[in-house]
Amino acid sequence: IYQCQILSLQINRPPDMTPQQELLSDPKGGLKLYKNWAVGDAGLVHWCWYEFLTLTISGLPGILGYGSRALLYPTLFAKCGKRPAIGRGVVIRRPKDIQLGRGVLIDDYCCLDVRGESAGIEIADRVSVGRYSTIAAKSGRINLAAGVNIGSYCRIATNSQIQIAESVLIGAYSYIGTG
């Protein structure tokens, strides 16, 4: 009987949630939750522009896609240097909290994900992020110095801070996160 009572207390207690789970269970409307997740506290015009670009050119292949994204995507970011090469299917969450340097290459199907109030991603000049890689700053900051080369299928994620020094090569399938 004693064990059943303990179990009963545990069942009635709400489960522990991550900050993201708490955010998604907020009673705000679904549209407000999505807007916050996609562009943060950016205004309505920025959100509509983000949605338009995502719909029309995110998946566009070839030189037409690269050219369109190089011309139009810089308007989404907090700061963006000349000639970014952004592949097709790249997911960008909260672009106003992301800074890109000159000549940055973000290969196909990468994810740049910022979550949290003080979070952000800073990618310096001539950084290359390989196909299907994820850079996720969840309530933290990620800084990639000039010339960093990240292989395919990598994940860099933090709740605090990660700094990758200049010209570092990160091999494919690597995971870097704070402990």
Side-chain angles (χ1 to χ4, degrees):
I1 295 176
Y2 182 69
Q3 290 176 336
C4 291
Q5 289 175 339
I6 291 173
L7 243 160
S8 173
L9 290 174
Q10 289 176 350
I11 291 172
N12 291 332
R13 195 185 96 208
D16 293 333
M17 292 193 284
T18 66
Q20 181 164 352
Q21 289 170 325
E22 287 176 5
L23 176 69
L24 292 175
S25 61
D26 193 345
K28 297 179 194 173
L31 198 57
K32 281 187 176 183
L33 286 173
Y34 173 76
K35 179 187 172 285
N36 187 41
W37 183 60
V39 295
D41 59 1
L44 181 63
V45 172
H46 180 76
W47 180 36
C48 291
W49 181 241
Y50 167 87
E51 289 295 325
F52 175 75
L53 292 180
T54 301
L55 175 68
T56 57
I57 65 173
S58 174
L60 204 57
I63 191 68
L64 185 59
Y66 272 103
S68 298
R69 288 184 291 273
L71 182 67
L72 299 172
Y73 269 27
T75 62
L76 296 174
F77 297 105
K79 177 182 158 196
C80 186
K82 291 184 178 179
R83 296 188 358 210
I86 300 173
R88 68 191 271 190
V90 171
V91 175
I92 302 167
R93 295 194 185 114
R94 294 193 38 196
K96 285 292 185 194
D97 295 320
I98 299 172
Q99 298 179 27
L100 300 180
R102 291 180 292 112
V104 169
L105 167 64
I106 309 294
D107 207 349
D108 297 345
Y109 306 107
C110 287
C111 179
L112 303 178
D113 187 6
V114 177
R115 300 179 202 168
E117 294 306 313
S118 61
I121 297 172
E122 186 175 339
I123 300 175
D125 298 344
R126 300 175 318 281
V127 170
S128 174
V129 181
R131 194 168 281 192
Y132 293 101
S133 291
T134 298
I135 300 173
K138 301 175 182 181
S139 301
R141 298 201 61 81
I142 297 176
N143 297 309
L144 305 177
V148 168
N149 187 336
I150 300 170
S152 298
Y153 298 94
C154 291
R155 179 172 174 81
I156 299 174
T158 187
N159 286 327
S160 57
Q161 185 168 0
I162 292 178
Q163 292 185 357
I164 308 293
E166 189 171 321
S167 299
V168 169
L169 171 64
I170 300 171
Y173 298 96
S174 296
Y175 176 85
I176 297 174
T178 52

